[in-house]
Structure formats: C-alpha cells, structure tokens
Amino acid sequence: FDPIPSSNAKPPGVELWAVFDAPQHLIDALWKNLTHTLSGLFCASINFLESSTAYSAPEWSFPPASGKLRYGTLPREAVCTENLTPWLKLLPCRDKAGISMLLDRPSIYRGFYHSQRLHLTSTGSGSEGMDPGIILEQTLTVVLQPDSQRASLAHANEKHIQPSWSLSSIFGKQISGRCVLAETSNVYFLLDRGLVAELDHIHKENEKSEENVLISEKFWNNPSFELSAKPDRIFKEESSLLSKNASVLYKFEIEKYGESEPFDLGLFWKTPVVWLCQQAPLHANRFLMGSGNERGAIAISLKSTESSEGFMGSFFNDERCELRVDVFQVVPWYVKVYFHSLQVFVDQQPKAVSDIIEKIHVSPSKDKVSPGVMELVLTLPCSVSSAVLTIEFDKGFLHIDEYPPDANQGFDIPSAIVSFPNFHARMVFLENDSLNKSPLLSKFQEKSPVMSYTEVLLVPLTTPDFSMPYNVITITCTVFALYFGSLLNALRRRVAEEERFLKDK
Amino acid sequence: MAETKEKSLSDEKPKPRVRPIVRLGIFLISHSFHVSVVCCTAGVLALFLLPVLAKNTYISENALMPGSASPMLSNQHVSDGNRLVKDLTNPNSKSSETGIESHKIIAQYMLDLGAEVSFHKFHPQMNQFHPLHFFSSPDSGKIQENYSCSSYGINTVGIIRAPRGDGKEAIVLVTPYNALKSGFGEALSLGIAYSVFSLLTQVTWLAKDIIWLVADSQYGEYAAVAAWLREYQTPKFSSLSTPNAEMCPDVNNLFELKGHSISGSKFSNSFRRAGTMAAALVLKVRDQNEQFEDTISIYAEASNGQMPNLDLINVVNYLAVHRQGLRVNVEKLWSLLNSSWLKSLGEIFESLAKVAKSLYPKWKFGIPATEYVEGTATLASSLYYQALGVPTGPHGAFRDYQVDAITLEISPKFSLDKVWRNDILLRGGRLIEGVIRSVNNLLEKFHQSFFLYLLTSPSKFVSVGVYMIAFALLIAPLPMVAASLYVDANSSSNCSKGDSSTPSAITDTDEHSIAIRSWRWLNSAKLVFIVHLWGAIVSLLPYFISQIPDCSPTTSFMIWVLLSILSLLTLNSVLASPLACAKATQEKEWALVKSVTISSVFIGLGLMSVINFATAEIGALLMVPMCLLAQPLKLDVRAGTLRSFCRMICNLVLGHIAFPPAAFFLLKGMLDGFGNANVGDFWMWVESLWAWNSATYLFIGMVELPCWVLCISILFHTC
C-alpha cells in the first residue's frame, strides 16, 4: 500500500501522541509540560490537551504501546498560517531558500487539504553509531488542485484531459537553488501504482512495443505525458506479491539548479488517463444515529472497497481467511457510551459480539475526569462486504462554565482510528544502494500498518440559554423568596396558640 | 383548595385578621362571575388584537449576514440549469415506464459536476395508526411484509463536500420530483437546484457539505423525504424479513449507468452521508399561477405545530424581498379577507389608534384596516395549521429530527418564453444561493431567534410572550369558577341541612357529616374520570375500525359513533350507576360536577398549551364559554327570567358548536361552503390527524369530547 496517504492523512484538528521514557507516575506531568511547550511553540491551543478529559492512554492500539503512550486530539483546532510560520522557523533556511520556498501561504491554504506534522525522536545512547540527540522530522502534506478551467470541463463529455500543472502554476513560485545548510535537497515525483498500470495499459495498446518501456530512460517523455525537467534518477518499486503494479519514483536534485535556472517541474498530459488510487481494504465511515437531545448511537461502518476485493481473494486463498481490523475510539465523557450495547452486523446480519471481536479493551469514562476509550480487534471473514459496529450513548449535561463559547454548534467526537495490521504500507525499491542516503525513501520502506481515520462527529448537546442570565436570576430569586417566606411563616406561627390568643380577646 | 377551606372556616367563626393574599382569593372567588366575564372578553379581544401587536421580524443571529455577499450565480449556471430542464422535459426521457431514465439523467448531471451520487431506494410507508406512537421519536423498525418490486421509489442524492470544511455539518436542498408525471414546474425546480448546485461545486467559501436530494414524489413528497431521513438518521443494519430492493430487476439496471464515467468512484450503490444537518430547504415550483407577480410562498408548519427557527424565514424573506424582488407569501385563510366584520373591527382599531395618537403622539400602535384584515387572515391560518398538527409540506419530516426546514414554493407568472424561464432560474437560484450562503455562515445551529411564534405576515410575527396573554386570560377564570362552585355547593348544602336538623343532632353528627360532605366531590370526580376514560376508549376505537377492510369513510364514521355511544352506556351502567343513583338525589350535585369538569378542562388546556399552543387556544375558545355557562336547563326554565333565557339559548348553541364533528363541519362549511359537506369527511380528517401523529387528535378525544359530554350531562341534569 501507498505509505504516503496512509501515514500522512490525518483528521481535522490537532492530533498528538507521545511515548514517554519515564517512570509511570511522571508521565502525566510530562505530558502536561509537553502540551504547554508545543502550544507555545506553534501558537495553537494544544494546551487544552493538558486536562485529563482530553487525552487517553491506549493500551495496544499503537505499535510501541506498553502503557507509556498518551494520545489526545482536538478536533476543532483549525490549522492556520499562524501555525505554519513557527513550523517554518524550525527549518534551517525557513522559507527563504530551498524547497521550502514553494510554501507560498495563499496557494497552500487554497488547497483542499493540508496538514503539518512534527515527529521528534530522541536517539538515546542506546542506538549505535549516532550521537545522542533528537531527530526532528517535519512533514507538510498538501493536496492541491491545479488551476484549470473547470467550467469548461462540465461540457466536455469524453475528450477532456486532466489538467497539466507545474510547480510554478500550483505554488506560484519556483525553486531557485538549495538551502546552503542542507546536505541534500531533492524533489521526488511519484507515479501512483494505479496510474502506472493504466499508462502501461495504454502504452501497450497504442504501440504494441516491447515490454517494460516504463523504466526505460525515455519514460519522462513518453506518449502519455511529458515532464519539463529531466529526472536525475528513476526508482522502480519492486513488484511484490501483493500487486503486479509498481509505482515509479523520479528524483530531482535541486543542487543543479540556481538563481539563473530555477527548478520548475511541470507535467503536461497528452492523453486522458483515468486511474484510481489504491484504497484500504475496507472503507471506514462513521456516523451518528438517532435524534434529539437525550440519546443517540455511534455507528462505524466498514465497507469493502471494490478495488481490494479481487486482490484479497487472490492473496488469501486458504480456508479460514481472516481480515484483522483494529478500531480505536476515544469518546469524551459527556457522551456516555454504554459499552454493553455494542452490536455488530456483518453483511447485514447481526452477529454475536464474541464471534467477531477477538480482543477488546475498554476503559469507561469518568465524569469530568477521563474520556472513554475503546480498543477493539475485529476479525472479519475476507469475503465481508460490509460490517457495522453500533454503540449507544446518552448525552450528558455539562456545568455551565464547561461549555465552550460556541456550544450551540455541538460537540465533537474525535475520529476513530481504523487500522489494518495485516496490510502494510510500504514501498520497496529495487536499487537498494542509494536508499540509505535518503531519509524519505527509507521512510517509505518502513513497514507500518495501513491506517485510516474516520470523520469527526458533531453531537448536539442540550445547551442552556446563555443569553438569559437575567431571567434565570429573577426566577431563582422569586422561588427563593417564596420558599423562605413560607418556610419562616410555617416555623414561626403556631395555629393553636393563635386561636387561644383570639379567644382570650 | 386551601383558599376555599379558609373560606368555609371563615363562614363559621369570623376571624379578625385574614391575610391579604387569602382575602384577594376570596374576593376573586366571590366575584367569579364578573371576573370570568371580564377575563373571557379580554382574552378574545387580546386574540383579535394580536395582528396589531405583531412586531417586525429582524435577523437575530448576526452570523447569518444575509445578502452581504453579491450573488455569484451567473448566466452560465442558468444555462446549465436550462439544459437539465430541457433534457428532463424531452419526450424521449419520459418514454420509459418507471421513470428511471430521468433519474439517470439527473445522476449523470450530478456526476459531471464532480458530486458524489447515490441512489436511495425506499418502499413507501403507509401512514398507520399506532395508538402508542404519539410523541415518540420516529423509529426505523416498522417492518412490513408486503413489499413488492413494483412499489418502490428512488431518491437521487448528490453530495458536494466542502473543499475546506471538516465535513461535520451539511445543508440539505430538497426538490420533489415525480419521474412518472412531472409537470413543467417540477423540472424547473430541478433546474434551479441544479444551477445552484453547479455553482456550489466551484465556490471556495463552502464550509458545510451540500446534499441535494431529488425526492421521488410518486408516493407523496413527504413519504420520500421521510424515508430518506429515516435511513439517514436511524438506519437498520439487519435486513432479515424485508426482501431487498436489489432483487428487483429494474433497480439493478439503474446502477449500470456509469461504467465508463470519469468519476467512477464518486458513484456508489451504498447510502451516503454527510454530517449533522444544519438546515434544509425544500424547493418547489408551482405549475400554474394566475397572479401578476412572481411570488414565493413559505410553508413552515411541521407536525404538532412545531415551527422552524424564525431566522430561517427571516433570511428567506429578506433575500427574496430586498434582493430578488420576489413577493413573499405566507398561507392565508382567503375567506377571511373579504369578511366585512373583520374590516370594521380593523377600522375600529385604526380609529382608536388615531385617537390615542392625538392624545399622546408617541403611541403608535395602529395599523391600517386592510393590513389588519390581512394580518388576521394570516394569523388565523397560522393558528389553524399549527393547531391541526399536520405538516404543510415535506419540510415537516426534517423537524422530527430537530432540523430546521422550510418549503419554498415559487409561483411564477406564467409564460413560456425562454427569457422568462431564464429569469426565474436566475432569481430563484440566487435566492437559494443566498440562503445557503447565509446558513453556511452560521457557526452554531439555529438558536438565536424564536421557535414559538405566529406569523401575521412574512415580515411580522407575534412571539410567545404576547400570544400567551390571550390564552392565559381565557383560561384564568376556570380555577376561580371551579373554586366558587365548590364553595357554593358545600355551603348551601350545609345551610339547608343545618336548618332541617334539630339542634341536638348537630353536636353529634357535625364532625362526621362535615367529613362526609367535604369528600362529596369525589363522586363527581369519579364521574368525570369515567367520562375521560370513555374519551380514551373512543380515541382508541378508530384503530380497530381501520382494521375492518373495505369500509367507506361514512360507514366507518357511523360505526365509530355507534361504538362510542355503546361504550358510554356500558361504562355508565357498569361503573357509574350504582353509586350515582344514591347520590343523585342530592341537590347541587351538578355544581360539583361542573366544578370538577372545569378543573379537569383547565388541566387539559394547560397541558395542551405546552404541547401545541394553537390547539389549546382554539380549544379554549370553544370550551371555556361552554364550561362556564353550563347550567341545568331545568333551572333556567324554572327561573324564567330574561337572563336565564339568554343563558339557555347560549348553552344550547354552544352545546351544538362545541361537539367536535359539529365544529369541524361548521369550520369546513365556512371555508368551502356547506354544499359538499359529507359525513365521511370527518372520518377522513380524523384519519389524517392520527396518521400524522397529531396531538390534536388526543386532545379532541381525551379533553374536548369528555368535556362536551359532561357539559351536556349538566345541561340535562335532573335537579
């Protein structure tokens, strides 16, 4: 599977997880320090993760696990330029030179998706051959759409070609030389497996020429598209058992380009190509059920994607083929989940929970103290076409000062993480010698499970009428006055005595 | 009760000092007749004053910012919409019998825009009477066995994901469309929706996802929307008994349409969702129209008189009037527009306002007489539709899931030329665009403005604080009269007994008889309880009657009436008679019965005003005078004065009017003329009430009907 989307596609908001190499009782304090530091560093309200209602300690959902891991999300925290600037400051040349010159704010924030990521690993004395220190890995993922005349697309029936692009047309900037401090400065350009297969197909049909044209040197200028710059290297992925297709990676070294000759990679399409990215084996989807302010249910639905169907069939031919799915879900305490109400439907048939769930770890929420955590390991038959998990909840009441400023919008449930440990997102490239140099490529080669995040859910909770403190005060005062008046009356007066008093008169 | 006891005590031994609140109570009770007359008149008057007191609407939520951006819908989008209209009205597309072709066309158009498309198949669910389903939340689990392949509808759903949104919220745009016999209006409404949709795929300001639901209205608009919402909100994952629609051959070939299409992944067989719904707009275009202006009608009433947030109506009204130059209409009772008495009432108010203004220039509350008449007609229809508790359009389905929704019906001045069509597409599209943009601006859900209001014109409303006054005045006399009747009944019997018995006996039996006498009201309470029990039985009866196959409405109605009478007699003989006979000899029995009746009516009206104000208001108008005036006819005949004669006449008239079927026929006759009234109509009306789970039905069955029976029994009381 493709490692790029699998490891870089994140849900909206902030996601922070950290493994602490510290004694158990210190971890929470360290976590607080960490959140505050990061929050100050990135001008984001990561410090909200400090409160114990915001983070959780998953047991075994994340690979390095072992109880020293803390995980927290803030789904509502929007990423903005004020977060990007401190992120850029961590780069040696900021956005003044090198590849980061491309990061023109308007064009980045015009995109469909962007996320910035920071990965800190401290290499202690244990790792050999390296000085003790901290490795900082910064990733910025952006999904951009090439400018094109979309209006004209609407009319064209078959003939339209996907828009051509170049770095300057997407980012509005070009790379002029590398950052002097950088050791290596490369641009990689990846042709997706699906695309390569499709191109292959087209190529064969058109020319009937010899096989393996794709890796030939001339591929950067082939009948389907044209690259404006000549790649310095071409990597071809090792075709594995999983798929016959292999992706192709082009490497461009920035060092060769300078002020006079800025690097501007462009792609010009010649023929229309339609391809699909490889999808995770199951498409995860989460939604709310029910209505009203009292209760509801969360449903996580897993649908098998058509693309993976055949492939799963070919891969697992033996009898008891099973698909393992890990689900990790954190719910805030005001969404009071009843874990006993967990129901599983496989292919529209209700199934006993114990048949499907291999392992389950639940830590129920404590009001105003900690969120509820649910970790599940499901084993589904490979032929599954749809599976649904539902779990019911009651909506809790918050204290008036616990409501956020925009309480009437509703409250977010952080997205669930669905991962497929049987499937690994990695690319193995043929030329192994040069790979050691490039951290990016070696990252691609790492084995990591395919992960996907579900949507963030918006739960409307009951909200008090914030705009009417006056009314509340008046009514409360009236009630108090009536109550105390009648209470005092009842305490003070004795009926018999009064009557005797009257008679005496 | 405490006050009345105090009073009875005070009769026996005068106290020098009574607390002021008690004294006030005693004063009110002793003058209950005058107080009730004053209160009732004031209540009715206040109701008629409501159009004068109506305030101008204003947009309460600042985030909406309607009309602050200039519309982006251009002629390009309009011509896109026009293309769809042409394709749909093309005779070729109508050739197929199931209308699948036009669904395919719509889906293809949506796909070309880059939207996610899915079809939603549903089986129309017949509305059935479920006696215990009132007020319960809509549920998914009504399994019916008799599904067949021939009866299913297909909703086409297109979803645009907001490019920079987080996908948590969605705005729904609904266009009902009947593929089998679609008028030009429906195609036009699709055209408008499509032009807006095509614009929204390109805009960058979108923060909420847009769902366009083309509701298959061949089984009714409401049913289609409700089915889709049910699937959206409360899906059922197990399909055990229902045969799947996938088995039907027609549906399968529906899904074959896009093998080759570019966005193959965008189309899916499964149900697609997009976050919590923020608001919904139902768009319709009426086919014929005889008016001279392009108008747009707003329908807002959902089930049980629930209304969407006033801000939604305000936004539509503001944009339509001030930006697109459309005339906005709210439903009116047209027959009231020409009534002369209303006009004269309006003139009186107008002249009163003039006098007030001349006295003190700052009093400006008058409105012109014509405006008053229009306001009253709108208010009356607003009250009527809320009281009915039946939604006035497909938007009602959304309200069941706490989503604010309204139906917009555009009725253009009709002509067939292309310029006109483009104009409607442009203006309608810009209106929808503006509303969607406003709702899109909304950070929170609608909560700022009113939910409880009555409209007197599209830009004027009466809020709950004002209209409650009329109702409160109407029902205020009820507890007072009940208390005074109770006191009267007790004290008068005391006196009569005290006269007849010997002085020696008083000392022995005094304590005992007082104890018995003070519990005498329990008998009347029992009678009232039995009648209410009967009311509950009567309201359950239609469920069993509807099970009888092949019944015309008239016969059903007859059976219902017969069964009701029968059950009343049975209940009376089984439960009431043995004890009632023993006590019936007591005089003033009727006063106690009346007192308890009034109390129960008060409770019933109070409860109903919380559930559905309009029903309670109309019910109070009918029942309060009847309850207050009811007095045995014999007494009136015996008295023979002019006053008692008047009261007798009033009683008889009210006794006829307040009978629910009689009231219904009277209302119907007033609106449509008496010529075509039919006995079965009432049955149909009742059927529609329970089908929509209207609380009005319960109110009629369990409050109004028992009250009427009790009043009649008081009228014919033998004393």
Side-chain angles (χ1 to χ4, degrees), chain A residues 185-206:
Chain A
S185 183
N186 296 328
V187 171
Y188 292 93
F189 171 64
L190 179 79
L191 287 185
D192 191 65
R193 279 173 197 146
L195 176 59
V196 172
E198 193 66 34
L199 289 177
D200 230 348
H201 186 65
I202 290 174
H203 207 79
K204 268 182 213 159
E205 268 189 5
N206 285 356

Side-chain angles (χ1 to χ4, degrees), chain B residues 42-64:
Chain B
V44 176
L45 203 66
L47 187 64
F48 280 105
L49 264 177
L50 286 185
V52 182
L53 297 173
K55 283 189 282 184
N56 282 326
T57 54
Y58 55 94
I59 286 158
S60 178
E61 171 74 82
N62 289 327
L64 283 170

Side-chain angles (χ1 to χ4, degrees), chain A residues 110 290 292 406 408-409, chain B residues 164 168 233 402 443-444 447:
Chain A
R110 206 186 299 138
D406 51 353
N408 271 300
Q409 190 190 355
Chain B
R164 276 163 230 174
K168 290 189 292 197
Q233 297 278 10
Q402 281 85 41
L443 274 179
E444 313 184 346
H447 71 284

Side-chain angles (χ1 to χ4, degrees), chain B residues 218-347:
Chain B
Q218 52 178 318
Y219 301 104
E221 295 159 0
Y222 185 92
V225 177
W228 180 76
L229 274 170
R230 205 160 37 234
E231 182 68 29
Y232 196 99
Q233 297 278 10
T234 53
K236 257 175 36 183
F237 300 112
S238 61
S239 59
L240 289 175
S241 56
T242 53
N244 251 328
E246 273 86 19
M247 296 173 193
C248 308
D250 280 348
V251 191
N252 276 338
N253 74 47
L254 186 64
F255 296 118
E256 285 165 10
L257 77 161
K258 23 232 70 131
H260 60 284
S261 170
I262 21 151
S263 33
S265 65
K266 297 256 182 170
F267 174 82
S268 87
N269 200 334
S270 58
F271 194 81
R272 292 214 184 226
R273 288 188 173 74
T276 315
M277 283 180 262
L281 289 175
V282 184
L283 179 70
K284 292 202 265 188
V285 177
R286 197 185 288 172
D287 270 333
Q288 314 92 351
N289 185 39
E290 59 279 359
Q291 274 165 342
F292 307 106
E293 269 181 289
D294 295 339
T295 57
I296 178 163
S297 318
I298 299 178
Y299 299 90
E301 288 88 359
S303 58
N304 281 326
Q306 298 180 82
M307 298 289 276
N309 198 294
L310 189 56
D311 267 346
L312 191 58
I313 295 177
N314 289 345
V315 167
V316 173
N317 182 43
Y318 178 84
L319 287 173
V321 173
H322 298 290
R323 290 291 181 271
Q324 304 308 325
L326 295 161
R327 220 166 63 91
V328 179
N329 251 343
V330 200
E331 191 79 346
K332 277 180 207 146
L333 283 187
W334 296 102
S335 56
L336 278 183
L337 279 183
N338 302 323
S339 63
S340 51
W341 62 274
L342 259 186
K343 207 169 281 173
S344 50
L345 195 65
E347 274 155 12

Side-chain angles (χ1 to χ4, degrees), chain A residues 110-112 150 155 158 287 289-290 292 345 348-350 388 390 405-406 408-409 412 456 458 489 493 502, chain B residues 16 19 76 163-164 168-169 201 233 235 237-240 260 262 270 273 276 401-402 443-445 447:
Chain A
R110 206 186 299 138
F112 284 159
R150 294 202 56 201
H155 289 268
E158 280 296 304
F287 51 90
M289 305 196 320
F345 299 90
Q348 300 183 335
Q349 302 295 323
V388 181
T390 63
D406 51 353
N408 271 300
Q409 190 190 355
D412 291 324
V456 173
L458 193 66
N489 245 337
R493 185 185 285 176
L502 281 176
Chain B
R19 288 158 70 203
Q76 172 68 43
R164 276 163 230 174
K168 290 189 292 197
E169 285 174 289
T201 49
Q233 297 278 10
F237 300 112
S238 61
S239 59
L240 289 175
H260 60 284
I262 21 151
S270 58
R273 288 188 173 74
T276 315
Y401 298 91
Q402 281 85 41
L443 274 179
E444 313 184 346
K445 66 183 180 200
H447 71 284

Side-chain angles (χ1 to χ4, degrees), chain A residues 307-324:
Chain A
S307 64
S308 66
E309 229 168 78
F311 134 77
M312 280 195 327
S314 65
F315 189 60
F316 300 94
N317 269 329
D318 49 345
E319 285 293 297
R320 43 185 303 285
C321 150
E322 278 176 344
L323 177 64
R324 197 179 140 192

Side-chain angles (χ1 to χ4, degrees), chain A residues 31 48-56 71-74 330-334 365-372 402 414:
Chain A
W31 168 265
F48 285 150
L49 285 175
E50 162 208 43
S51 82
S52 60
T53 53
Y55 68 87
S56 57
Y71 173 88
T73 52
L74 292 173
V330 180
V331 279
W333 65 266
Y334 41 79
S365 59
K366 271 185 222 146
D367 275 10
K368 303 179 192 190
V369 176
S370 66
E402 287 166 339

